[in-house]
Tab-separated table of all heavy atoms in Angstrom:
chain	number	residue	atom	x	y	z
C	27	TYR	N	-3.680	20.435	4.312
C	27	TYR	CA	-4.837	21.079	4.930
C	27	TYR	C	-5.124	22.393	4.213
C	27	TYR	O	-4.221	23.208	4.018
C	27	TYR	CB	-4.521	21.334	6.406
C	27	TYR	CG	-5.682	21.747	7.271
C	27	TYR	CD1	-6.658	20.829	7.632
C	27	TYR	CD2	-5.780	23.047	7.752
C	27	TYR	CE1	-7.711	21.197	8.461
C	27	TYR	CE2	-6.828	23.423	8.577
C	27	TYR	CZ	-7.792	22.491	8.922
C	27	TYR	OH	-8.831	22.861	9.733
C	29	THR	N	-7.905	25.692	4.198
C	29	THR	CA	-9.021	26.411	4.823
C	29	THR	C	-9.405	27.592	3.947
C	29	THR	O	-8.717	27.923	2.984
C	29	THR	CB	-8.641	26.927	6.229
C	29	THR	OG1	-7.477	27.773	6.112
C	29	THR	CG2	-8.333	25.778	7.159
C	31	ARG	N	-9.336	30.724	4.666
C	31	ARG	CA	-8.489	31.903	4.844
C	31	ARG	C	-7.290	31.534	5.705
C	31	ARG	O	-7.234	30.455	6.282
C	31	ARG	CB	-9.271	33.044	5.491
C	31	ARG	CG	-9.807	32.718	6.878
C	31	ARG	CD	-10.581	33.885	7.445
C	31	ARG	NE	-11.323	33.511	8.646
C	31	ARG	CZ	-12.139	34.340	9.291
C	31	ARG	NH1	-12.292	35.586	8.861
C	31	ARG	NH2	-12.797	33.938	10.362
C	32	HIS	N	-6.347	32.453	5.783
C	32	HIS	CA	-5.110	32.208	6.508
C	32	HIS	C	-5.377	32.254	8.015
C	32	HIS	O	-5.782	33.288	8.546
C	32	HIS	CB	-4.091	33.272	6.121
C	32	HIS	CG	-2.693	32.971	6.556
C	32	HIS	ND1	-2.095	31.739	6.377
C	32	HIS	CD2	-1.759	33.756	7.166
C	32	HIS	CE1	-0.858	31.776	6.841
C	32	HIS	NE2	-0.631	32.978	7.315
C	33	GLN	N	-5.144	31.141	8.700
C	33	GLN	CA	-5.327	31.094	10.149
C	33	GLN	C	-4.773	29.791	10.694
C	33	GLN	O	-4.622	28.800	9.986
C	33	GLN	CB	-6.799	31.207	10.531
C	33	GLN	CG	-7.650	30.010	10.092
C	33	GLN	CD	-9.114	30.178	10.445
C	33	GLN	OE1	-9.851	30.849	9.738
C	33	GLN	NE2	-9.527	29.577	11.532
C	34	SER	N	-4.442	29.815	11.970
C	34	SER	CA	-4.035	28.613	12.694
C	34	SER	C	-4.107	28.950	14.176
C	34	SER	O	-4.553	30.037	14.559
C	34	SER	CB	-2.611	28.184	12.309
C	34	SER	OG	-1.647	29.012	12.932
C	35	GLU	N	-3.636	28.036	15.009
C	35	GLU	CA	-3.618	28.312	16.442
C	35	GLU	C	-2.716	29.485	16.791
C	35	GLU	O	-2.898	30.132	17.826
C	35	GLU	CB	-3.147	27.074	17.227
C	35	GLU	CG	-4.069	25.888	17.139
C	35	GLU	CD	-3.736	24.982	15.978
C	35	GLU	OE1	-3.126	25.438	14.985
C	35	GLU	OE2	-4.077	23.796	16.066
C	36	THR	N	-1.735	29.763	15.937
C	36	THR	CA	-0.800	30.855	16.220
C	36	THR	C	-1.053	32.080	15.352
C	36	THR	O	-0.385	33.093	15.514
C	36	THR	CB	0.658	30.392	15.991
C	36	THR	OG1	0.832	30.037	14.620
C	36	THR	CG2	0.985	29.202	16.874
C	37	ILE	N	-2.012	31.995	14.434
C	37	ILE	CA	-2.315	33.090	13.520
C	37	ILE	C	-3.817	33.357	13.574
C	37	ILE	O	-4.605	32.561	13.055
C	37	ILE	CB	-1.896	32.753	12.074
C	37	ILE	CG1	-0.404	32.427	12.009
C	37	ILE	CG2	-2.249	33.897	11.129
C	37	ILE	CD1	0.041	31.893	10.665
C	38	PRO	N	-4.243	34.444	14.197
C	38	PRO	CA	-5.677	34.748	14.214
C	38	PRO	C	-6.210	34.910	12.789
C	38	PRO	O	-5.456	35.270	11.874
C	38	PRO	CB	-5.741	36.081	14.978
C	38	PRO	CG	-4.496	36.105	15.799
C	38	PRO	CD	-3.454	35.420	14.964
C	39	PRO	N	-7.487	34.615	12.563
C	39	PRO	CA	-8.052	34.712	11.217
C	39	PRO	C	-7.814	36.079	10.592
C	39	PRO	O	-7.995	37.110	11.222
C	39	PRO	CB	-9.543	34.460	11.448
C	39	PRO	CG	-9.602	33.676	12.717
C	39	PRO	CD	-8.477	34.175	13.556
C	48	TYR	N	-6.442	32.850	-1.520
C	48	TYR	CA	-5.719	32.057	-0.518
C	48	TYR	C	-5.984	30.568	-0.718
C	48	TYR	O	-5.061	29.746	-0.639
C	48	TYR	CB	-6.133	32.472	0.895
C	48	TYR	CG	-5.466	31.645	1.967
C	48	TYR	CD1	-4.166	31.909	2.355
C	48	TYR	CD2	-6.137	30.583	2.562
C	48	TYR	CE1	-3.532	31.145	3.320
C	48	TYR	CE2	-5.514	29.803	3.523
C	48	TYR	CZ	-4.214	30.086	3.902
C	48	TYR	OH	-3.589	29.310	4.853
C	69	HIS	N	-16.709	22.809	10.156
C	69	HIS	CA	-17.079	23.232	11.503
C	69	HIS	C	-18.418	23.942	11.434
C	69	HIS	O	-18.865	24.362	10.350
C	69	HIS	CB	-16.012	24.153	12.103
C	69	HIS	CG	-14.652	23.546	12.160
C	69	HIS	ND1	-14.327	22.527	13.021
C	69	HIS	CD2	-13.530	23.798	11.441
C	69	HIS	CE1	-13.063	22.182	12.836
C	69	HIS	NE2	-12.557	22.936	11.881
C	215	TRP	N	-5.591	10.693	15.735
C	215	TRP	CA	-4.670	11.757	16.086
C	215	TRP	C	-3.365	11.166	16.597
C	215	TRP	O	-3.323	10.032	17.080
C	215	TRP	CB	-5.297	12.654	17.146
C	215	TRP	CG	-6.449	13.463	16.617
C	215	TRP	CD1	-6.735	13.722	15.320
C	215	TRP	CD2	-7.460	14.100	17.388
C	215	TRP	NE1	-7.868	14.502	15.220
C	215	TRP	CE2	-8.327	14.757	16.478
C	215	TRP	CE3	-7.722	14.213	18.755
C	215	TRP	CZ2	-9.431	15.495	16.898
C	215	TRP	CZ3	-8.815	14.946	19.174
C	215	TRP	CH2	-9.666	15.586	18.248
C	247	PHE	N	-0.403	14.659	12.524
C	247	PHE	CA	0.637	15.308	13.313
C	247	PHE	C	0.802	16.749	12.855
C	247	PHE	O	0.432	17.122	11.732
C	247	PHE	CB	1.987	14.588	13.154
C	247	PHE	CG	2.143	13.368	14.004
C	247	PHE	CD1	2.322	12.128	13.423
C	247	PHE	CD2	2.123	13.453	15.390
C	247	PHE	CE1	2.481	10.995	14.192
C	247	PHE	CE2	2.270	12.320	16.168
C	247	PHE	CZ	2.455	11.096	15.576
C	248	ARG	N	1.434	17.552	13.702
C	248	ARG	CA	1.795	18.934	13.402
C	248	ARG	C	3.320	19.037	13.469
C	248	ARG	O	3.870	19.550	14.442
C	248	ARG	CB	1.154	19.874	14.425
C	248	ARG	CG	-0.316	19.582	14.759
C	248	ARG	CD	-1.237	19.809	13.593
C	248	ARG	NE	-1.226	21.196	13.184
C	248	ARG	CZ	-1.946	22.138	13.798
C	248	ARG	NH1	-2.729	21.840	14.818
C	248	ARG	NH2	-1.894	23.384	13.362
C	249	PRO	N	4.041	18.546	12.473
C	249	PRO	CA	5.504	18.528	12.567
C	249	PRO	C	6.105	19.927	12.731
C	249	PRO	O	5.703	20.883	12.074
C	249	PRO	CB	5.931	17.920	11.233
C	249	PRO	CG	4.740	17.137	10.772
C	249	PRO	CD	3.564	17.934	11.227
C	250	ILE	N	7.062	20.011	13.626
C	250	ILE	CA	7.852	21.236	13.810
C	250	ILE	C	9.279	20.886	13.417
C	250	ILE	O	9.979	20.164	14.136
C	250	ILE	CB	7.770	21.750	15.258
C	250	ILE	CG1	6.309	22.116	15.582
C	250	ILE	CG2	8.690	22.945	15.461
C	250	ILE	CD1	6.085	22.572	17.012
C	261	ARG	N	11.561	26.527	18.389
C	261	ARG	CA	10.332	26.915	17.696
C	261	ARG	C	9.105	26.344	18.405
C	261	ARG	O	8.059	27.004	18.499
C	261	ARG	CB	10.361	26.448	16.238
C	261	ARG	CG	9.163	27.000	15.494
C	261	ARG	CD	9.113	26.668	14.040
C	261	ARG	NE	7.818	27.105	13.523
C	261	ARG	CZ	7.102	26.448	12.644
C	261	ARG	NH1	7.541	25.314	12.132
C	261	ARG	NH2	5.935	26.907	12.245
C	264	GLN	N	8.247	28.606	21.072
C	264	GLN	CA	7.635	29.821	20.540
C	264	GLN	C	6.172	29.590	20.168
C	264	GLN	O	5.319	30.460	20.398
C	264	GLN	CB	8.425	30.297	19.317
C	264	GLN	CG	9.826	30.788	19.632
C	264	GLN	CD	10.705	30.925	18.388
C	264	GLN	OE1	10.249	30.672	17.270
C	264	GLN	NE2	11.958	31.305	18.578
C	265	VAL	N	5.865	28.427	19.608
C	265	VAL	CA	4.485	28.091	19.271
C	265	VAL	C	3.632	28.075	20.530
C	265	VAL	O	2.531	28.662	20.576
C	265	VAL	CB	4.423	26.735	18.542
C	265	VAL	CG1	2.985	26.213	18.481
C	265	VAL	CG2	5.002	26.855	17.131
C	266	ARG	N	4.115	27.420	21.567
C	266	ARG	CA	3.366	27.342	22.825
C	266	ARG	C	3.161	28.729	23.426
C	266	ARG	O	2.050	29.071	23.865
C	266	ARG	CB	4.110	26.433	23.807
C	266	ARG	CG	3.509	26.372	25.211
C	266	ARG	CD	2.118	25.752	25.195
C	266	ARG	NE	1.512	25.806	26.510
C	266	ARG	CZ	1.565	24.792	27.400
C	266	ARG	NH1	2.209	23.687	27.096
C	266	ARG	NH2	0.984	24.887	28.561
C	267	ALA	N	4.200	29.559	23.400
C	267	ALA	CA	4.091	30.904	23.959
C	267	ALA	C	3.094	31.745	23.176
C	267	ALA	O	2.315	32.526	23.739
C	267	ALA	CB	5.461	31.573	23.971
C	268	ARG	N	3.097	31.598	21.856
C	268	ARG	CA	2.168	32.349	21.022
C	268	ARG	C	0.728	31.947	21.294
C	268	ARG	O	-0.167	32.803	21.386
C	268	ARG	CB	2.511	32.116	19.541
C	268	ARG	CG	1.551	32.703	18.536
C	268	ARG	CD	1.554	34.202	18.557
C	268	ARG	NE	0.779	34.743	17.441
C	268	ARG	CZ	0.283	35.972	17.391
C	268	ARG	NH1	0.500	36.811	18.396
C	268	ARG	NH2	-0.389	36.386	16.351
C	269	ILE	N	0.486	30.664	21.454
C	269	ILE	CA	-0.865	30.190	21.752
C	269	ILE	C	-1.324	30.712	23.111
C	269	ILE	O	-2.461	31.176	23.267
C	269	ILE	CB	-0.917	28.656	21.698
C	269	ILE	CG1	-0.773	28.191	20.243
C	269	ILE	CG2	-2.219	28.125	22.288
C	269	ILE	CD1	-0.617	26.709	20.089
C	270	ASP	N	-0.450	30.653	24.093
C	270	ASP	CA	-0.798	31.175	25.420
C	270	ASP	C	-1.135	32.660	25.338
C	270	ASP	O	-2.094	33.127	25.967
C	270	ASP	CB	0.356	30.950	26.394
C	270	ASP	CG	0.492	29.497	26.818
C	270	ASP	OD1	-0.487	28.735	26.662
C	270	ASP	OD2	1.579	29.110	27.290
C	271	ALA	N	-0.356	33.411	24.558
C	271	ALA	CA	-0.603	34.844	24.430
C	271	ALA	C	-1.947	35.111	23.768
C	271	ALA	O	-2.693	36.007	24.177
C	271	ALA	CB	0.526	35.498	23.634
C	272	LEU	N	-2.282	34.329	22.745
C	272	LEU	CA	-3.552	34.534	22.059
C	272	LEU	C	-4.738	34.155	22.942
C	272	LEU	O	-5.804	34.768	22.860
C	272	LEU	CB	-3.587	33.727	20.760
C	272	LEU	CG	-2.765	34.289	19.602
C	272	LEU	CD1	-2.792	33.333	18.420
C	272	LEU	CD2	-3.285	35.656	19.171
C	273	GLN	N	-4.550	33.131	23.758
C	273	GLN	CA	-5.660	32.703	24.620
C	273	GLN	C	-5.905	33.669	25.767
C	273	GLN	O	-7.047	33.864	26.187
C	273	GLN	CB	-5.375	31.308	25.184
C	273	GLN	CG	-5.495	30.197	24.181
C	273	GLN	CD	-5.550	28.843	24.866
C	273	GLN	OE1	-6.590	28.204	24.930
C	273	GLN	NE2	-4.414	28.399	25.364
C	274	HIS	N	-4.839	34.268	26.260
C	274	HIS	CA	-4.969	35.041	27.501
C	274	HIS	C	-4.650	36.514	27.336
C	274	HIS	O	-4.787	37.277	28.287
C	274	HIS	CB	-4.050	34.450	28.573
C	274	HIS	CG	-4.259	32.976	28.803
C	274	HIS	ND1	-5.463	32.461	29.241
C	274	HIS	CD2	-3.432	31.912	28.611
C	274	HIS	CE1	-5.361	31.137	29.333
C	274	HIS	NE2	-4.150	30.787	28.952
C	278	VAL	N	-7.806	40.199	22.700
C	278	VAL	CA	-7.817	39.160	21.679
C	278	VAL	C	-9.233	38.622	21.526
C	278	VAL	O	-9.936	38.385	22.501
C	278	VAL	CB	-6.848	38.014	22.063
C	278	VAL	CG1	-6.957	36.886	21.052
C	278	VAL	CG2	-5.421	38.535	22.125
C	279	GLN	N	-9.652	38.457	20.296
C	279	GLN	CA	-10.990	37.919	20.028
C	279	GLN	C	-11.155	36.562	20.689
C	279	GLN	O	-10.293	35.698	20.590
C	279	GLN	CB	-11.185	37.779	18.513
C	279	GLN	CG	-12.498	37.115	18.124
C	279	GLN	CD	-12.553	36.839	16.624
C	279	GLN	OE1	-11.679	37.254	15.898
C	279	GLN	NE2	-13.588	36.143	16.206
C	281	GLY	N	-11.733	32.914	21.331
C	281	GLY	CA	-11.660	31.773	20.439
C	281	GLY	C	-10.788	31.994	19.221
C	281	GLY	O	-10.893	31.273	18.247
C	282	ALA	N	-9.893	32.990	19.268
C	282	ALA	CA	-9.107	33.311	18.081
C	282	ALA	C	-8.242	32.163	17.617
C	282	ALA	O	-7.970	32.027	16.436
C	282	ALA	CB	-8.230	34.535	18.364
C	283	ILE	N	-7.808	31.307	18.543
C	283	ILE	CA	-6.951	30.205	18.133
C	283	ILE	C	-7.760	28.983	17.726
C	283	ILE	O	-7.209	28.025	17.213
C	283	ILE	CB	-5.978	29.787	19.253
C	283	ILE	CG1	-6.747	29.130	20.404
C	283	ILE	CG2	-5.158	30.931	19.735
C	283	ILE	CD1	-5.890	28.259	21.273
C	284	ALA	N	-9.051	29.009	17.987
C	284	ALA	CA	-9.835	27.794	17.814
C	284	ALA	C	-10.378	27.694	16.404
C	284	ALA	O	-10.942	28.648	15.874
C	284	ALA	CB	-10.986	27.740	18.823
C	285	LEU	N	-10.227	26.519	15.813
C	285	LEU	CA	-10.836	26.273	14.517
C	285	LEU	C	-12.249	25.730	14.682
C	285	LEU	O	-12.973	25.576	13.715
C	285	LEU	CB	-9.977	25.288	13.716
C	285	LEU	CG	-8.536	25.738	13.494
C	285	LEU	CD1	-7.812	24.753	12.594
C	285	LEU	CD2	-8.477	27.126	12.906
C	286	ASP	N	-12.639	25.409	15.904
C	286	ASP	CA	-14.019	25.000	16.193
C	286	ASP	C	-14.565	25.959	17.250
C	286	ASP	O	-14.745	25.628	18.389
C	286	ASP	CB	-14.111	23.540	16.658
C	286	ASP	CG	-13.279	23.255	17.898
C	286	ASP	OD1	-12.395	24.073	18.207
C	286	ASP	OD2	-13.535	22.246	18.566
C	306	LEU	N	-6.025	12.818	24.252
C	306	LEU	CA	-4.925	13.768	24.118
C	306	LEU	C	-4.653	14.477	25.437
C	306	LEU	O	-3.494	14.740	25.777
C	306	LEU	CB	-5.227	14.790	23.028
C	306	LEU	CG	-5.172	14.304	21.585
C	306	LEU	CD1	-5.179	15.496	20.628
C	306	LEU	CD2	-3.952	13.438	21.317
C	321	TRP	N	5.584	15.623	20.949
C	321	TRP	CA	5.431	16.792	21.823
C	321	TRP	C	3.961	17.090	22.026
C	321	TRP	O	3.189	17.182	21.068
C	321	TRP	CB	6.120	18.008	21.195
C	321	TRP	CG	6.083	19.243	22.041
C	321	TRP	CD1	6.551	19.393	23.310
C	321	TRP	CD2	5.543	20.522	21.660
C	321	TRP	NE1	6.349	20.692	23.737
C	321	TRP	CE2	5.738	21.400	22.751
C	321	TRP	CE3	4.940	21.003	20.497
C	321	TRP	CZ2	5.332	22.733	22.718
C	321	TRP	CZ3	4.534	22.331	20.452
C	321	TRP	CH2	4.726	23.188	21.558
C	323	GLY	N	2.733	19.785	23.874
C	323	GLY	CA	2.559	21.128	24.419
C	323	GLY	C	1.293	21.821	23.947
C	323	GLY	O	0.601	22.469	24.746
C	324	VAL	N	0.957	21.705	22.671
C	324	VAL	CA	-0.239	22.376	22.164
C	324	VAL	C	-1.501	21.656	22.633
C	324	VAL	O	-2.515	22.292	22.936
C	324	VAL	CB	-0.189	22.475	20.625
C	324	VAL	CG1	-1.495	23.022	20.067
C	324	VAL	CG2	0.977	23.365	20.204
C	325	ALA	N	-1.448	20.339	22.715
C	325	ALA	CA	-2.596	19.596	23.248
C	325	ALA	C	-2.902	20.031	24.671
C	325	ALA	O	-4.064	20.190	25.062
C	325	ALA	CB	-2.326	18.094	23.185
C	326	ALA	N	-1.852	20.253	25.456
C	326	ALA	CA	-2.053	20.724	26.828
C	326	ALA	C	-2.640	22.128	26.845
C	326	ALA	O	-3.539	22.440	27.638
C	326	ALA	CB	-0.725	20.684	27.584
C	327	ALA	N	-2.149	22.994	25.955
C	327	ALA	CA	-2.590	24.390	25.943
C	327	ALA	C	-4.030	24.545	25.485
C	327	ALA	O	-4.729	25.461	25.923
C	327	ALA	CB	-1.667	25.215	25.049
C	328	THR	N	-4.490	23.673	24.601
C	328	THR	CA	-5.823	23.819	24.006
C	328	THR	C	-6.853	22.848	24.570
C	328	THR	O	-7.993	22.826	24.107
C	328	THR	CB	-5.749	23.615	22.483
C	328	THR	OG1	-5.269	22.296	22.215
C	328	THR	CG2	-4.807	24.642	21.841
C	329	GLY	N	-6.471	22.036	25.532
C	329	GLY	CA	-7.410	21.061	26.065
C	329	GLY	C	-7.637	19.889	25.146
C	329	GLY	O	-8.640	19.190	25.265
C	330	GLY	N	-6.723	19.668	24.195
C	330	GLY	CA	-6.839	18.519	23.294
C	330	GLY	C	-8.038	18.574	22.390
C	330	GLY	O	-8.564	17.543	21.976
C	331	ARG	N	-8.449	19.786	21.996
C	331	ARG	CA	-9.716	19.913	21.268
C	331	ARG	C	-9.639	19.472	19.807
C	331	ARG	O	-10.669	19.301	19.169
C	331	ARG	CB	-10.230	21.353	21.346
C	331	ARG	CG	-10.976	21.648	22.637
C	331	ARG	CD	-11.439	23.085	22.669
C	331	ARG	NE	-10.326	23.997	22.903
C	331	ARG	CZ	-10.394	25.297	22.653
C	331	ARG	NH1	-11.478	25.812	22.134
C	331	ARG	NH2	-9.364	26.078	22.907
C	332	TRP	N	-8.445	19.315	19.252
C	332	TRP	CA	-8.305	18.852	17.874
C	332	TRP	C	-6.925	18.246	17.722
C	332	TRP	O	-6.143	18.204	18.676
C	332	TRP	CB	-8.533	19.995	16.881
C	332	TRP	CG	-7.702	21.202	17.167
C	332	TRP	CD1	-6.392	21.399	16.830
C	332	TRP	CD2	-8.098	22.370	17.887
C	332	TRP	NE1	-5.949	22.614	17.277
C	332	TRP	CE2	-6.992	23.244	17.935
C	332	TRP	CE3	-9.300	22.774	18.483
C	332	TRP	CZ2	-7.039	24.484	18.555
C	332	TRP	CZ3	-9.335	24.011	19.111
C	332	TRP	CH2	-8.221	24.849	19.139
C	333	ASN	N	-6.596	17.782	16.535
C	333	ASN	CA	-5.280	17.154	16.364
C	333	ASN	C	-4.196	18.200	16.598
C	333	ASN	O	-4.050	19.157	15.841
C	333	ASN	CB	-5.147	16.516	14.974
C	333	ASN	CG	-5.302	17.503	13.832
C	333	ASN	OD1	-6.270	18.246	13.790
C	333	ASN	ND2	-4.362	17.510	12.910
C	334	SER	N	-3.447	18.020	17.652
C	334	SER	CA	-2.543	19.070	18.117
C	334	SER	C	-1.196	18.551	18.582
C	334	SER	O	-0.380	19.329	19.063
C	334	SER	CB	-3.211	19.863	19.245
C	334	SER	OG	-3.731	18.989	20.235
C	335	THR	N	-0.939	17.262	18.480
C	335	THR	CA	0.361	16.746	18.872
C	335	THR	C	1.357	16.921	17.734
C	335	THR	O	0.994	16.853	16.560
C	335	THR	CB	0.277	15.262	19.265
C	335	THR	OG1	-0.427	14.550	18.243
C	335	THR	CG2	-0.424	15.085	20.597
C	336	ALA	N	2.610	17.135	18.099
C	336	ALA	CA	3.643	17.440	17.121
C	336	ALA	C	4.785	16.442	17.212
C	336	ALA	O	4.999	15.799	18.251
C	336	ALA	CB	4.179	18.864	17.349
C	362	ARG	N	0.110	19.105	9.023
C	362	ARG	CA	-0.138	20.523	8.779
C	362	ARG	C	0.602	21.331	9.836
C	362	ARG	O	0.814	20.877	10.959
C	362	ARG	CB	-1.631	20.857	8.798
C	362	ARG	CG	-2.357	20.594	10.107
C	362	ARG	CD	-3.847	20.841	9.918
C	362	ARG	NE	-4.612	20.574	11.117
C	362	ARG	CZ	-5.021	21.511	11.971
C	362	ARG	NH1	-4.711	22.783	11.757
C	362	ARG	NH2	-5.726	21.192	13.036
C	363	GLY	N	1.012	22.511	9.464
C	363	GLY	CA	1.854	23.300	10.336
C	363	GLY	C	1.104	24.379	11.075
C	363	GLY	O	-0.065	24.664	10.809
C	364	PHE	N	1.804	25.012	11.990
C	364	PHE	CA	1.244	26.150	12.716
C	364	PHE	C	1.379	27.431	11.894
C	364	PHE	O	0.681	28.412	12.153
C	364	PHE	CB	1.927	26.286	14.072
C	364	PHE	CG	1.655	25.112	14.973
C	364	PHE	CD1	2.612	24.121	15.165
C	364	PHE	CD2	0.423	24.969	15.598
C	364	PHE	CE1	2.350	23.021	15.979
C	364	PHE	CE2	0.154	23.873	16.405
C	364	PHE	CZ	1.113	22.895	16.591
C	365	ASP	N	2.270	27.425	10.918
C	365	ASP	CA	2.346	28.477	9.904
C	365	ASP	C	2.007	27.788	8.583
C	365	ASP	O	2.879	27.237	7.910
C	365	ASP	CB	3.747	29.083	9.864
C	365	ASP	CG	3.818	30.322	8.976
C	365	ASP	OD1	2.904	30.513	8.145
C	365	ASP	OD2	4.780	31.092	9.114
C	366	PRO	N	0.729	27.744	8.197
C	366	PRO	CA	0.261	26.790	7.189
C	366	PRO	C	1.016	26.791	5.871
C	366	PRO	O	1.419	25.723	5.386
C	366	PRO	CB	-1.209	27.195	6.997
C	366	PRO	CG	-1.605	27.832	8.288
C	366	PRO	CD	-0.383	28.549	8.751
C	369	ASP	N	5.039	26.223	6.358
C	369	ASP	CA	5.332	24.857	6.793
C	369	ASP	C	5.072	23.851	5.680
C	369	ASP	O	5.800	22.866	5.539
C	369	ASP	CB	4.513	24.507	8.036
C	369	ASP	CG	5.062	25.163	9.295
C	369	ASP	OD1	6.258	25.501	9.307
C	369	ASP	OD2	4.298	25.328	10.261
C	373	TYR	N	7.701	21.112	4.463
C	373	TYR	CA	7.402	19.678	4.404
C	373	TYR	C	7.717	19.124	3.010
C	373	TYR	O	8.270	18.032	2.874
C	373	TYR	CB	5.932	19.421	4.733
C	373	TYR	CG	5.487	19.838	6.112
C	373	TYR	CD1	4.138	20.088	6.390
C	373	TYR	CD2	6.399	19.996	7.158
C	373	TYR	CE1	3.717	20.472	7.641
C	373	TYR	CE2	5.977	20.394	8.414
C	373	TYR	CZ	4.632	20.634	8.652
C	373	TYR	OH	4.213	21.015	9.894
Side-chain angles (χ1 to χ4, degrees):
Y27 191 73
T29 57
R31 61 181 169 184
H32 193 47
Q33 67 182 81
S34 76
E35 295 90 336
T36 62
I37 302 172
Y48 177 80
H69 303 289
W215 291 342
F247 279 118
R248 316 294 297 278
I250 298 177
R261 187 177 172 219
Q264 293 166 1
V265 166
R266 174 64 185 265
R268 174 66 171 160
I269 290 172
D270 286 341
L272 285 175
Q273 287 194 107
H274 306 299
V278 175
Q279 175 187 353
I283 69 159
L285 302 185
D286 58 343
L306 288 193
W321 183 57
V324 173
T328 61
R331 278 179 286 163
W332 52 81
N333 60 309
S334 50
T335 49
R362 62 186 178 99
F364 295 102
D365 189 342
D369 284 337
Y373 298 158

